[in-house]
Amino acid sequence: MGPSLDLSLISSWLMLCAKQGPKAGVGLATVVISFVYSTYYNVLMSWALYYLYNSFRATPPWTSCNNTWNAVGDCSSGFSGNNTHVESASQQFFDHRLLEKTSGIGEAGGLRWELFGCLVIAWVIVYLCIFKGVKSTGKVVYFTAVFPYFILFALLINNVHLPGAKTGILYFVTPVWSKLFEVKVWVKAAAQVFNSIGIAFGSMVSMASYNKFNNNILRDALIVSFTNSFTSILAGFVIFSAIGYMAHIHNLPVDNIATDGPGLVFVVYPEVLSTMPVPQLWAPLFFFMLLCLGLDSQFATVEVAITFIKDEFGPQVLRFIKREELLTLAVCIVCFVLGIPHITKGGIYVFQLMDHYTAVVSLVFLAFFEVVAVCWIFGVPRITLMIKRMQGKTPNIYFRVCWLLLCPMLVLCILTSSIAQYSPVQYGKYTYPLWAEYVGWCVSLVSIVWIPLGAIHEMYNNKGSFLQRLRTAVTTTIDLDAEDYLPEKQNLDNPASETLFTSVA
């Protein structure tokens, strides 16, 4: 229920955001983190496109050690376990063909021109899907959100008949209770939920702000959160049934094959697909599914930046850029340019650095302050009143207790624990130099620095003693009895169904 509660919280705040706009503080931080995230996330789509193209070959190139990029003496056509120096052909394809990986972040190595082309195509697809605004995005998502379920169910039906699938599934569903006492597990779990649902990125608020005033936000929050959880569990069965099959073929324990990060999708699963019956069918379908899933997330994060610019600077911007489609094009071009460092030969190290400090460190900080701003500063009574006006009834005591105590305390515990047990970023066995750590923290500060700056600006503009300024700063100035916040003054005809479907995606 944790994701549901956070989503309900954010959804109940959406009308405030739609009216006031993210001028400073937490609101502006969500826009910045969404923008930063969108600059490098599409790199994953370029990888998926590259694999999709290569999957149409009669023999997938990641199945053989007889290629120019393979280190023949250290290459195996299968998995040789974690305790040897031998790499699988799939791992070498990822490292030496896709990435042409250098020895470290200090060695850029030049552009990977094939990935450059794939990144251009990925951004063209994103632009064509969002240039007409949220209505066109909602229609595209009807396909990109539903199609992956057909592929997941087809893969699951195929996988469960493979030898060793039961072992992989049991590995997936069998709890390791000792892991519950590791803070790192909880931090990664929270970051995964925040990423998959869009909490703290601003995408949920941005999309939800297009809803009609009396839209059933509590129902939508539950639909989105349960759909997300169901999809994660379904994908887990699909992945681990295949991993169990690979463990059976190579006579290895499941945990020798299971991995995390990009390696699971771009190393382990291509190897699995190549051993299945009719790999020429499953491989293209799998990578096309990845493309659809990634585009859904990319749509939402790019839309946050575009919505912010239109809401805050619309008249000024449109004076120079005459059409909104050109504004969307400008945002996509800027994001594309900022993503180019990730497709150099040393780009994987940049990608991992950005992802660690943006999608984990910054996100947890931002989620905490967002919860505090909504639940404690804006206040549960005001949230309750807004939802009563929107829904015609007061949220039950369970939601109110969660907003007042459980959500803030849970996120606070995750935040403090992650700080206390912080560990530097790594990529596999590669340890980043100290200067890269400093760059990572600067990347993290790009988004979260707006929170203290917003607080300082607010207190500076207030009058009186320090305590008076502080009291004024943490007191909401929203008058819920003003005409703009009354139901009869709201637009009741916005495309709620399409924004809900986009949020579910």
Side-chain angles (χ1 to χ4, degrees), residues 447-472:
S447 57
I448 62 178
V449 73
W450 301 104
I451 298 173
L453 287 180
I456 293 170
H457 179 264
E458 182 69 20
M459 292 186 65
Y460 176 79
N461 287 336
N462 294 331
K463 300 183 183 300
S465 65
F466 175 80
L467 290 178
Q468 289 174 328
R469 290 169 183 255
L470 180 62
R471 187 182 299 111
T472 304

PDB file of all heavy atoms in Angstrom, residues 447-472:
ATOM      1  N   SER A 447      19.558  19.274  -8.877  1.00  0.00           N
ATOM      2  CA  SER A 447      18.111  19.186  -8.655  1.00  0.00           C
ATOM      3  C   SER A 447      17.712  19.577  -7.237  1.00  0.00           C
ATOM      4  O   SER A 447      16.770  20.348  -7.046  1.00  0.00           O
ATOM      5  CB  SER A 447      17.615  17.769  -8.968  1.00  0.00           C
ATOM      6  OG  SER A 447      18.304  16.812  -8.188  1.00  0.00           O
ATOM      7  N   ILE A 448      18.427  19.099  -6.224  1.00  0.00           N
ATOM      8  CA  ILE A 448      17.963  19.322  -4.852  1.00  0.00           C
ATOM      9  C   ILE A 448      18.366  20.683  -4.287  1.00  0.00           C
ATOM     10  O   ILE A 448      17.830  21.109  -3.264  1.00  0.00           O
ATOM     11  CB  ILE A 448      18.449  18.197  -3.910  1.00  0.00           C
ATOM     12  CG1 ILE A 448      19.978  18.149  -3.842  1.00  0.00           C
ATOM     13  CG2 ILE A 448      17.885  16.868  -4.324  1.00  0.00           C
ATOM     14  CD1 ILE A 448      20.510  17.091  -2.889  1.00  0.00           C
ATOM     15  N   VAL A 449      19.283  21.400  -4.934  1.00  0.00           N
ATOM     16  CA  VAL A 449      19.711  22.701  -4.414  1.00  0.00           C
ATOM     17  C   VAL A 449      18.568  23.703  -4.441  1.00  0.00           C
ATOM     18  O   VAL A 449      18.566  24.684  -3.682  1.00  0.00           O
ATOM     19  CB  VAL A 449      20.918  23.227  -5.226  1.00  0.00           C
ATOM     20  CG1 VAL A 449      20.479  23.694  -6.612  1.00  0.00           C
ATOM     21  CG2 VAL A 449      21.601  24.367  -4.481  1.00  0.00           C
ATOM     22  N   TRP A 450      17.562  23.483  -5.296  1.00  0.00           N
ATOM     23  CA  TRP A 450      16.442  24.413  -5.392  1.00  0.00           C
ATOM     24  C   TRP A 450      15.584  24.412  -4.134  1.00  0.00           C
ATOM     25  O   TRP A 450      14.856  25.385  -3.887  1.00  0.00           O
ATOM     26  CB  TRP A 450      15.598  24.079  -6.615  1.00  0.00           C
ATOM     27  CG  TRP A 450      16.386  24.149  -7.868  1.00  0.00           C
ATOM     28  CD1 TRP A 450      16.866  23.100  -8.606  1.00  0.00           C
ATOM     29  CD2 TRP A 450      16.846  25.331  -8.528  1.00  0.00           C
ATOM     30  NE1 TRP A 450      17.589  23.546  -9.674  1.00  0.00           N
ATOM     31  CE2 TRP A 450      17.592  24.925  -9.655  1.00  0.00           C
ATOM     32  CE3 TRP A 450      16.692  26.700  -8.274  1.00  0.00           C
ATOM     33  CZ2 TRP A 450      18.178  25.822 -10.526  1.00  0.00           C
ATOM     34  CZ3 TRP A 450      17.272  27.601  -9.148  1.00  0.00           C
ATOM     35  CH2 TRP A 450      18.011  27.163 -10.256  1.00  0.00           C
ATOM     36  N   ILE A 451      15.668  23.355  -3.342  1.00  0.00           N
ATOM     37  CA  ILE A 451      14.871  23.297  -2.111  1.00  0.00           C
ATOM     38  C   ILE A 451      15.411  24.302  -1.083  1.00  0.00           C
ATOM     39  O   ILE A 451      14.656  25.160  -0.604  1.00  0.00           O
ATOM     40  CB  ILE A 451      14.841  21.863  -1.555  1.00  0.00           C
ATOM     41  CG1 ILE A 451      14.179  20.929  -2.572  1.00  0.00           C
ATOM     42  CG2 ILE A 451      14.093  21.813  -0.215  1.00  0.00           C
ATOM     43  CD1 ILE A 451      14.238  19.465  -2.206  1.00  0.00           C
ATOM     44  N   PRO A 452      16.709  24.249  -0.701  1.00  0.00           N
ATOM     45  CA  PRO A 452      17.204  25.279   0.227  1.00  0.00           C
ATOM     46  C   PRO A 452      17.187  26.677  -0.375  1.00  0.00           C
ATOM     47  O   PRO A 452      16.929  27.653   0.341  1.00  0.00           O
ATOM     48  CB  PRO A 452      18.635  24.824   0.544  1.00  0.00           C
ATOM     49  CG  PRO A 452      19.025  23.905  -0.557  1.00  0.00           C
ATOM     50  CD  PRO A 452      17.759  23.238  -0.980  1.00  0.00           C
ATOM     51  N   LEU A 453      17.451  26.806  -1.669  1.00  0.00           N
ATOM     52  CA  LEU A 453      17.403  28.128  -2.289  1.00  0.00           C
ATOM     53  C   LEU A 453      15.990  28.700  -2.232  1.00  0.00           C
ATOM     54  O   LEU A 453      15.804  29.907  -1.966  1.00  0.00           O
ATOM     55  CB  LEU A 453      17.871  28.050  -3.746  1.00  0.00           C
ATOM     56  CG  LEU A 453      19.367  27.847  -3.992  1.00  0.00           C
ATOM     57  CD1 LEU A 453      19.660  27.789  -5.482  1.00  0.00           C
ATOM     58  CD2 LEU A 453      20.181  28.959  -3.331  1.00  0.00           C
ATOM     59  N   GLY A 454      14.999  27.845  -2.459  1.00  0.00           N
ATOM     60  CA  GLY A 454      13.620  28.305  -2.360  1.00  0.00           C
ATOM     61  C   GLY A 454      13.261  28.738  -0.958  1.00  0.00           C
ATOM     62  O   GLY A 454      12.565  29.743  -0.756  1.00  0.00           O
ATOM     63  N   ALA A 455      13.759  27.988   0.041  1.00  0.00           N
ATOM     64  CA  ALA A 455      13.490  28.347   1.439  1.00  0.00           C
ATOM     65  C   ALA A 455      14.156  29.671   1.807  1.00  0.00           C
ATOM     66  O   ALA A 455      13.546  30.525   2.466  1.00  0.00           O
ATOM     67  CB  ALA A 455      13.980  27.223   2.355  1.00  0.00           C
ATOM     68  N   ILE A 456      15.415  29.853   1.385  1.00  0.00           N
ATOM     69  CA  ILE A 456      16.135  31.100   1.674  1.00  0.00           C
ATOM     70  C   ILE A 456      15.440  32.287   1.003  1.00  0.00           C
ATOM     71  O   ILE A 456      15.275  33.353   1.614  1.00  0.00           O
ATOM     72  CB  ILE A 456      17.598  30.985   1.206  1.00  0.00           C
ATOM     73  CG1 ILE A 456      18.343  29.950   2.048  1.00  0.00           C
ATOM     74  CG2 ILE A 456      18.298  32.342   1.285  1.00  0.00           C
ATOM     75  CD1 ILE A 456      19.720  29.597   1.513  1.00  0.00           C
ATOM     76  N   HIS A 457      15.027  32.098  -0.241  1.00  0.00           N
ATOM     77  CA  HIS A 457      14.341  33.174  -0.965  1.00  0.00           C
ATOM     78  C   HIS A 457      13.033  33.547  -0.281  1.00  0.00           C
ATOM     79  O   HIS A 457      12.701  34.732  -0.146  1.00  0.00           O
ATOM     80  CB  HIS A 457      14.088  32.724  -2.403  1.00  0.00           C
ATOM     81  CG  HIS A 457      13.367  33.736  -3.232  1.00  0.00           C
ATOM     82  ND1 HIS A 457      11.989  33.710  -3.418  1.00  0.00           N
ATOM     83  CD2 HIS A 457      13.826  34.819  -3.929  1.00  0.00           C
ATOM     84  CE1 HIS A 457      11.632  34.728  -4.182  1.00  0.00           C
ATOM     85  NE2 HIS A 457      12.723  35.409  -4.518  1.00  0.00           N
ATOM     86  N   GLU A 458      12.304  32.546   0.178  1.00  0.00           N
ATOM     87  CA  GLU A 458      11.024  32.806   0.842  1.00  0.00           C
ATOM     88  C   GLU A 458      11.231  33.577   2.142  1.00  0.00           C
ATOM     89  O   GLU A 458      10.523  34.548   2.427  1.00  0.00           O
ATOM     90  CB  GLU A 458      10.315  31.477   1.113  1.00  0.00           C
ATOM     91  CG  GLU A 458       8.955  31.589   1.765  1.00  0.00           C
ATOM     92  CD  GLU A 458       7.904  32.191   0.850  1.00  0.00           C
ATOM     93  OE1 GLU A 458       8.113  32.165  -0.383  1.00  0.00           O
ATOM     94  OE2 GLU A 458       6.893  32.707   1.368  1.00  0.00           O
ATOM     95  N   MET A 459      12.220  33.161   2.933  1.00  0.00           N
ATOM     96  CA  MET A 459      12.473  33.835   4.202  1.00  0.00           C
ATOM     97  C   MET A 459      13.010  35.252   3.978  1.00  0.00           C
ATOM     98  O   MET A 459      12.691  36.162   4.741  1.00  0.00           O
ATOM     99  CB  MET A 459      13.446  33.020   5.046  1.00  0.00           C
ATOM    100  CG  MET A 459      12.857  31.697   5.548  1.00  0.00           C
ATOM    101  SD  MET A 459      13.956  30.841   6.682  1.00  0.00           S
ATOM    102  CE  MET A 459      14.000  31.973   8.066  1.00  0.00           C
ATOM    103  N   TYR A 460      13.792  35.439   2.946  1.00  0.00           N
ATOM    104  CA  TYR A 460      14.341  36.766   2.654  1.00  0.00           C
ATOM    105  C   TYR A 460      13.230  37.753   2.307  1.00  0.00           C
ATOM    106  O   TYR A 460      13.281  38.934   2.676  1.00  0.00           O
ATOM    107  CB  TYR A 460      15.348  36.664   1.497  1.00  0.00           C
ATOM    108  CG  TYR A 460      15.910  37.989   1.060  1.00  0.00           C
ATOM    109  CD1 TYR A 460      16.932  38.600   1.778  1.00  0.00           C
ATOM    110  CD2 TYR A 460      15.411  38.638  -0.075  1.00  0.00           C
ATOM    111  CE1 TYR A 460      17.445  39.831   1.384  1.00  0.00           C
ATOM    112  CE2 TYR A 460      15.913  39.860  -0.477  1.00  0.00           C
ATOM    113  CZ  TYR A 460      16.934  40.454   0.254  1.00  0.00           C
ATOM    114  OH  TYR A 460      17.439  41.666  -0.138  1.00  0.00           O
ATOM    115  N   ASN A 461      12.224  37.280   1.612  1.00  0.00           N
ATOM    116  CA  ASN A 461      11.133  38.151   1.187  1.00  0.00           C
ATOM    117  C   ASN A 461      10.132  38.438   2.300  1.00  0.00           C
ATOM    118  O   ASN A 461       9.319  39.359   2.169  1.00  0.00           O
ATOM    119  CB  ASN A 461      10.393  37.537  -0.005  1.00  0.00           C
ATOM    120  CG  ASN A 461      11.207  37.615  -1.282  1.00  0.00           C
ATOM    121  OD1 ASN A 461      12.077  38.472  -1.419  1.00  0.00           O
ATOM    122  ND2 ASN A 461      10.937  36.730  -2.211  1.00  0.00           N
ATOM    123  N   ASN A 462      10.164  37.621   3.366  1.00  0.00           N
ATOM    124  CA  ASN A 462       9.251  37.851   4.488  1.00  0.00           C
ATOM    125  C   ASN A 462       9.785  38.975   5.385  1.00  0.00           C
ATOM    126  O   ASN A 462      10.951  39.362   5.291  1.00  0.00           O
ATOM    127  CB  ASN A 462       9.048  36.564   5.290  1.00  0.00           C
ATOM    128  CG  ASN A 462       8.333  35.499   4.481  1.00  0.00           C
ATOM    129  OD1 ASN A 462       7.551  35.822   3.591  1.00  0.00           O
ATOM    130  ND2 ASN A 462       8.597  34.240   4.785  1.00  0.00           N
ATOM    131  N   LYS A 463       8.947  39.449   6.265  1.00  0.00           N
ATOM    132  CA  LYS A 463       9.335  40.545   7.163  1.00  0.00           C
ATOM    133  C   LYS A 463       9.284  40.072   8.611  1.00  0.00           C
ATOM    134  O   LYS A 463       8.599  39.117   8.956  1.00  0.00           O
ATOM    135  CB  LYS A 463       8.400  41.741   6.971  1.00  0.00           C
ATOM    136  CG  LYS A 463       8.411  42.319   5.549  1.00  0.00           C
ATOM    137  CD  LYS A 463       7.536  43.541   5.446  1.00  0.00           C
ATOM    138  CE  LYS A 463       7.496  44.068   4.022  1.00  0.00           C
ATOM    139  NZ  LYS A 463       8.826  44.439   3.520  1.00  0.00           N
ATOM    140  N   GLY A 464      10.028  40.784   9.488  1.00  0.00           N
ATOM    141  CA  GLY A 464      10.030  40.469  10.910  1.00  0.00           C
ATOM    142  C   GLY A 464      11.310  39.796  11.340  1.00  0.00           C
ATOM    143  O   GLY A 464      12.324  39.768  10.624  1.00  0.00           O
ATOM    144  N   SER A 465      11.279  39.242  12.552  1.00  0.00           N
ATOM    145  CA  SER A 465      12.439  38.532  13.101  1.00  0.00           C
ATOM    146  C   SER A 465      12.632  37.206  12.373  1.00  0.00           C
ATOM    147  O   SER A 465      11.806  36.798  11.551  1.00  0.00           O
ATOM    148  CB  SER A 465      12.233  38.271  14.595  1.00  0.00           C
ATOM    149  OG  SER A 465      11.140  37.393  14.795  1.00  0.00           O
ATOM    150  N   PHE A 466      13.725  36.531  12.732  1.00  0.00           N
ATOM    151  CA  PHE A 466      14.021  35.251  12.076  1.00  0.00           C
ATOM    152  C   PHE A 466      12.885  34.254  12.304  1.00  0.00           C
ATOM    153  O   PHE A 466      12.445  33.572  11.367  1.00  0.00           O
ATOM    154  CB  PHE A 466      15.343  34.687  12.611  1.00  0.00           C
ATOM    155  CG  PHE A 466      15.663  33.315  12.071  1.00  0.00           C
ATOM    156  CD1 PHE A 466      16.221  33.165  10.805  1.00  0.00           C
ATOM    157  CD2 PHE A 466      15.398  32.173  12.821  1.00  0.00           C
ATOM    158  CE1 PHE A 466      16.507  31.901  10.306  1.00  0.00           C
ATOM    159  CE2 PHE A 466      15.677  30.916  12.333  1.00  0.00           C
ATOM    160  CZ  PHE A 466      16.240  30.781  11.068  1.00  0.00           C
ATOM    161  N   LEU A 467      12.407  34.159  13.561  1.00  0.00           N
ATOM    162  CA  LEU A 467      11.335  33.205  13.857  1.00  0.00           C
ATOM    163  C   LEU A 467      10.048  33.586  13.138  1.00  0.00           C
ATOM    164  O   LEU A 467       9.298  32.703  12.674  1.00  0.00           O
ATOM    165  CB  LEU A 467      11.101  33.125  15.372  1.00  0.00           C
ATOM    166  CG  LEU A 467      12.223  32.457  16.177  1.00  0.00           C
ATOM    167  CD1 LEU A 467      11.904  32.487  17.666  1.00  0.00           C
ATOM    168  CD2 LEU A 467      12.424  31.012  15.714  1.00  0.00           C
ATOM    169  N   GLN A 468       9.765  34.876  13.037  1.00  0.00           N
ATOM    170  CA  GLN A 468       8.571  35.314  12.318  1.00  0.00           C
ATOM    171  C   GLN A 468       8.666  34.988  10.827  1.00  0.00           C
ATOM    172  O   GLN A 468       7.699  34.539  10.203  1.00  0.00           O
ATOM    173  CB  GLN A 468       8.364  36.810  12.524  1.00  0.00           C
ATOM    174  CG  GLN A 468       7.927  37.198  13.933  1.00  0.00           C
ATOM    175  CD  GLN A 468       7.887  38.704  14.131  1.00  0.00           C
ATOM    176  OE1 GLN A 468       8.676  39.440  13.539  1.00  0.00           O
ATOM    177  NE2 GLN A 468       6.968  39.161  14.976  1.00  0.00           N
ATOM    178  N   ARG A 469       9.846  35.215  10.263  1.00  0.00           N
ATOM    179  CA  ARG A 469      10.053  34.877   8.854  1.00  0.00           C
ATOM    180  C   ARG A 469       9.897  33.369   8.633  1.00  0.00           C
ATOM    181  O   ARG A 469       9.301  32.939   7.642  1.00  0.00           O
ATOM    182  CB  ARG A 469      11.448  35.313   8.405  1.00  0.00           C
ATOM    183  CG  ARG A 469      11.634  36.825   8.307  1.00  0.00           C
ATOM    184  CD  ARG A 469      13.106  37.166   8.121  1.00  0.00           C
ATOM    185  NE  ARG A 469      13.333  38.604   8.092  1.00  0.00           N
ATOM    186  CZ  ARG A 469      13.589  39.297   6.989  1.00  0.00           C
ATOM    187  NH1 ARG A 469      13.654  38.689   5.828  1.00  0.00           N
ATOM    188  NH2 ARG A 469      13.773  40.613   7.044  1.00  0.00           N
ATOM    189  N   LEU A 470      10.463  32.574   9.573  1.00  0.00           N
ATOM    190  CA  LEU A 470      10.372  31.122   9.454  1.00  0.00           C
ATOM    191  C   LEU A 470       8.927  30.656   9.556  1.00  0.00           C
ATOM    192  O   LEU A 470       8.478  29.800   8.779  1.00  0.00           O
ATOM    193  CB  LEU A 470      11.226  30.453  10.543  1.00  0.00           C
ATOM    194  CG  LEU A 470      11.232  28.921  10.554  1.00  0.00           C
ATOM    195  CD1 LEU A 470      11.808  28.379   9.252  1.00  0.00           C
ATOM    196  CD2 LEU A 470      12.032  28.402  11.750  1.00  0.00           C
ATOM    197  N   ARG A 471       8.196  31.225  10.516  1.00  0.00           N
ATOM    198  CA  ARG A 471       6.800  30.845  10.701  1.00  0.00           C
ATOM    199  C   ARG A 471       5.974  31.183   9.466  1.00  0.00           C
ATOM    200  O   ARG A 471       5.133  30.395   9.017  1.00  0.00           O
ATOM    201  CB  ARG A 471       6.219  31.536  11.935  1.00  0.00           C
ATOM    202  CG  ARG A 471       4.814  31.052  12.300  1.00  0.00           C
ATOM    203  CD  ARG A 471       4.255  31.793  13.505  1.00  0.00           C
ATOM    204  NE  ARG A 471       5.090  31.591  14.694  1.00  0.00           N
ATOM    205  CZ  ARG A 471       5.835  32.536  15.259  1.00  0.00           C
ATOM    206  NH1 ARG A 471       5.869  33.769  14.729  1.00  0.00           N
ATOM    207  NH2 ARG A 471       6.559  32.285  16.324  1.00  0.00           N
ATOM    208  N   THR A 472       6.230  32.343   8.895  1.00  0.00           N
ATOM    209  CA  THR A 472       5.512  32.749   7.691  1.00  0.00           C
ATOM    210  C   THR A 472       5.859  31.843   6.510  1.00  0.00           C
ATOM    211  O   THR A 472       4.997  31.496   5.697  1.00  0.00           O
ATOM    212  CB  THR A 472       5.842  34.209   7.329  1.00  0.00           C
ATOM    213  OG1 THR A 472       5.548  35.051   8.450  1.00  0.00           O
ATOM    214  CG2 THR A 472       5.048  34.672   6.122  1.00  0.00           C
TER     215      THR A 472
END
